[in-house]
Amino acid sequence: MPKITYRTYSGEERTLELPEGLSVMEGAVKNAIGGIDADCGGACACATCHVYVDESWLDRLEPASDMERSMLDFAENTQENSRLACQIKVKPELDGLLVQTPESQH
């Protein structure tokens, strides 16, 4: 199973082995990773699973959809590497992915 590392805003890191097909958001919620609220449950309707993807991984992700880009407009402190964790599906090519939570989701 691919390993995904979550880094909180405060610098704490946890690496989880997640099954393929799960979203990075689902992995965080199921494992009580702080900083990913996921208010809409993964429907790409709230932007409370906003994460910063480590720059070295950006080109390995599927491009953000129009809906995801639109939802990111509601997130605070977005950066070029901002993504919604609900839109990143775990797959073998993402083994080692590092995402960081922002200071706040609201």
Side-chain angles (χ1 to χ4, degrees):
M1 285 192 289
K3 292 179 182 174
I4 308 297
T5 299
Y6 298 85
R7 180 182 298 146
T8 65
Y9 181 78
S10 63
E12 296 172 46
E13 284 190 12
R14 277 184 62 199
T15 300
L16 304 173
E17 286 188 47
L18 300 175
E20 290 179 50
L22 203 68
S23 73
V24 171
M25 179 275 302
E26 290 170 311
V29 170
K30 289 177 189 260
N31 291 281
I33 300 291
I36 296 181
D37 297 342
D39 290 344
C40 74
C44 195
C46 71
T48 62
C49 66
H50 171 220
V51 294
Y52 303 119
V53 174
D54 184 87
E55 305 253 343
S56 65
W57 287 92
L58 287 174
D59 62 346
R60 298 182 227 185
L61 299 179
E62 297 289 327
S65 67
D66 290 340
M67 181 186 291
E68 180 181 357
R69 285 192 299 275
S70 176
M71 289 311 309
L72 281 167
D73 288 341
F74 295 101
E76 294 181 8
N77 302 313
T78 58
Q79 301 174 3
E80 290 295 316
N81 61 334
S82 289
R83 292 295 301 266
L84 297 182
C86 69
Q87 299 301 295
I88 303 171
K89 295 294 183 192
V90 175
K91 56 186 179 179
E93 299 83 14
L94 296 183
D95 184 37
L97 175 68
L98 170 64
V99 297
Q100 179 173 322
T101 59
E103 182 175 10
S104 170
Q105 290 289 1
H106 304 284

